[in-house]
Amino acid sequence: MKVRRAIRLLSTFFSNTHDPKFKANFLSHFYSAQPQIDHFAAATSSFGTDPDIDSSAFDSAQFSVPYQNLGNQKQNPQQKSQPTWDTKYRDEVNRRIFGKANANKKRRLKIEEEEKEEKKRTLARALLQAALDGPDEEEEEGEDVGVKGEDQKSLSVGIIGAPNAGKSALTNYMVGSKVAAVSRKMNTTTHEVLGVMTKGDTQICFFDTPGLMLKKSGYPSRDLKAQTESAWSSIDLYEVLIVIFDVHRHLSRPDSRVVRLIERMGTEPNTKQKRVLCMNKVDLVERKKDLLKVAEEFKDLLGYERVFMISGLKGSGVKDLTEYLMEQAFKRPWDEDPYTMSEEVMKNISLEVVRERLLDYVHQEIPYNIGHRLMDWKDLRNGSLRIEQHLITHKESQRKILVGKNGSKIGRIGMEANEELRSIFKREVHLILQVRLKR
Ligand SMILES: Nc1nc2c(ncn2[C@@H]2O[C@H](COP(=O)(O)OP(=O)(O)OP(=O)(O)O)[C@@H](O)[C@H]2O)c(=O)[nH]1
């Protein structure tokens, strides 16, 4: 749709232009993969001159498709199915089968780094989807626009669980699927806002509780005592605490530390906090009877007001959980500006938009190992946003595919991404994409 609109704009522009020389020049601009001197000089200034790097560029400034306030269009960017491959499992397999426990610390760090990146991207995708979807019917009912301070309701929700229990996936699902607006920011190392959901008059902030080390007894480890103590004491700050665990894993290989955590949280009363138990990853459990068995196992834990069987990834049961949380909210002004998108989120969205367009145009031709980096992000004085991203490949053949004939592919990717970013950020965007060959 958007390409068509851009093409339409270009055709109108052309039909009003009669100078054939001008047309020819313009077209050579449009399709040229060669950087245009002025823009390129600016675009590469942050890079220095690396003789080993060859590049081709798209610069949105060369294509004067006028900015229009495109509003909150309903769009459906075809979401590519993401590999659900979890590198932790690969690591575990290597460790068990090949005994590579400590073989490669660097590799582990790299994997962790990749996982972090993937999480950021997942969040960005969810936010992007939400931003593009616009408010759905349910949200329109409650219209959060202009909800007065005295009518606002808020709730803080902490999520606790072992690594891999699915805390992020659940939050992303809740925040991403029903978001009227979103923001995400880091507070301290122990309080990370996982996401903010604003729906109707209610805003729910989800907090991660990282850094909680458990001993076999289910109590905090003495290692890193100060750090973990502050993390543990922070748990009480939330009005609702979600204790989440991987029920599929529990059925096959129960982890005593997780069981103790569930028991501890379910027995220790806290009159100021409601606690719920979430049996996550139910989609992986084949025999649903097994779920009842697990529910039975924890039925005497009176500290939990409710038990939810959910799939944070696929969404089953999440609606009930969300409704429950909405009901718990207190009359209190919102903590977060629902329309704030943090810069970090915006940056990730910009990468994600380009990545999606890339996948649309190069499909499987481009392996996932192509480097994709945000090189520059600037708020310009005229109110526009300058975004520079580089696609880095080691192979000339890949560079050619990305650039396309006379730069047509990178040009198209750039045009579409630029327009999409304008409509998401509601401002003029100056996008520069460079395909670089690193020898
Ligand atoms: N099948 C299935 N997989 C899930 C579900 N929830 C999470 N996962 C997967 O489990 C893995 C861990 O999920 P995360 O959401 O990252 O878990 P986390 O608790 O935030 O992990 P840490 O950040 O390590 O504490 C990911 O590969 C998810 O895709 C679910 O409901 N069903």
Side-chain angles (χ1 to χ4, degrees), residues 84 86 88 119 162-169 280-281 283-284 311-313:
T84 51
D86 186 344
K88 281 181 196 159
K119 271 190 181 173
N164 250 354
K167 300 180 286 290
S168 310
N280 191 31
K281 308 197 188 179
D283 55 297
L284 297 178
S311 167
L313 195 67

Side-chain angles (χ1 to χ4, degrees), residues 320-358:
D320 288 348
L321 176 62
T322 310
E323 276 169 12
Y324 168 82
L325 294 175
M326 301 279 292
E327 284 162 14
Q328 308 309 314
F330 295 92
K331 270 225 149 140
R332 190 179 65 215
W334 297 339
D335 296 319
E336 301 274 334
D337 172 356
Y339 292 108
T340 307
M341 267 199 202
S342 77
E343 194 169 286
E344 192 203 349
V345 168
M346 287 172 74
K347 285 177 179 171
N348 286 324
I349 285 180
S350 81
L351 284 165
E352 202 48 43
V353 165
V354 171
R355 192 180 154 78
E356 287 203 347
R357 294 290 78 84
L358 248 172

Side-chain angles (χ1 to χ4, degrees), residues 3-36:
V3 195
R4 253 187 264 141
R5 190 168 40 244
I7 291 171
R8 222 180 301 132
L9 278 163
L10 283 173
S11 345
T12 321
F13 173 66
F14 270 119
S15 59
N16 296 329
T17 307
H18 302 291
D19 178 356
K21 233 185 191 172
F22 178 81
K23 281 184 184 175
N25 267 342
F26 186 92
L27 275 176
S28 77
H29 238 187
F30 186 86
Y31 286 115
S32 173
Q34 296 312 309
Q36 306 302 309

